[in-house]
Amino acid sequence: MTQQSMDTFLKTLSSSAPVPGGGGASAYVAAVGMSLGSMVANLTTGKKKYAEYQEEIEQKAGKLTDELADYMQKDAVAFEPLSKAYGLPKDTEEEKAHREEVLEKCLVAASEKPLELMEKILESMKILERLSVIGSTLAISDVGVGIQMAKAALNGASLNVFINTKLMKNMVVADDMNMRADEMLVQGNELADSIYETVMDKV
């Protein structure tokens, strides 16, 4: 999916095709946010004051950008079986039982990927937090844009968890996933707002 042109991606996203959807869009937005972090890191290169942090931040930011973008495809791979499972026959009791079993497995799989994406977004936020302190003042606004995109992506990914866990029969699994998502939402939104305030003080 990362090999598609932006035009193709947006047209497919706009269509009735099952993927990409909100999960793929959230991954894309998260990758763009981290790309802005990479740009700020690159613009900061050469400043003696920040030299000890520079290489590590550049490497982490570049690696995370790729990993976040990869979730565009990972989300599609996880969701497509779920979209097909909804179409399974349910005329007989045996068919209903089979459909329910398949749906449950697919719902869990489709929830795991956005949870993993949320974890990666939190990692990117921590790099953006560092860049809000040491990044070039000429590009500090781009850290602000990056963190706003990361925040939107985090909240978007969480919706892809909640829409699936709501339909699960196994409430133990569902509650655990919801709890993990809720914890990351609180942590990520608080961090994003703090970083944004730091950036605003410097703009």
Side-chain angles (χ1 to χ4, degrees), residues 15 40 47-48 116 120 148 173 195:
S15 75
V40 175
K47 293 193 174 184
K48 293 181 180 179
E116 291 174 11
K120 289 294 177 185
Q148 289 294 80
V173 173
I195 295 168

Side-chain angles (χ1 to χ4, degrees), residues 52-124:
E52 62 181 296
Y53 312 109
Q54 197 63 37
E55 186 176 355
E56 180 186 2
I57 288 178
E58 285 180 9
Q59 288 178 351
K60 284 184 177 179
K63 183 172 181 286
L64 269 174
T65 297
D66 292 339
E67 290 175 344
L68 289 165
D70 284 344
Y71 273 91
M72 294 167 64
Q73 182 64 28
K74 289 180 178 179
D75 180 79
V77 170
F79 180 75
E80 202 155 16
L82 177 59
S83 67
K84 291 179 180 177
Y86 283 119
L88 288 172
K90 51 181 178 178
D91 298 322
T92 67
E93 290 303 315
E94 187 178 81
E95 287 177 343
K96 286 178 183 177
H98 174 68
R99 181 176 182 272
E100 189 172 302
E101 181 182 353
V102 173
L103 270 175
E104 189 73 9
K105 289 179 180 177
C106 291
L107 286 166
V108 171
S111 300
E112 286 172 345
K113 292 308 170 186
L115 276 172
E116 291 174 11
L117 175 59
M118 290 177 76
E119 292 172 354
K120 289 294 177 185
I121 293 170
L122 281 177
E123 288 182 42
S124 75

Side-chain angles (χ1 to χ4, degrees), residues 111-143:
S111 300
E112 286 172 345
K113 292 308 170 186
L115 276 172
E116 291 174 11
L117 175 59
M118 290 177 76
E119 292 172 354
K120 289 294 177 185
I121 293 170
L122 281 177
E123 288 182 42
S124 75
M125 285 180 165
K126 290 170 184 174
I127 294 177
L128 288 165
E129 180 182 32
R130 190 67 183 144
L131 287 167
S132 72
V133 176
I134 71 167
S136 170
T137 54
L138 295 175
I140 199 67
S141 62
D142 293 301
V143 175

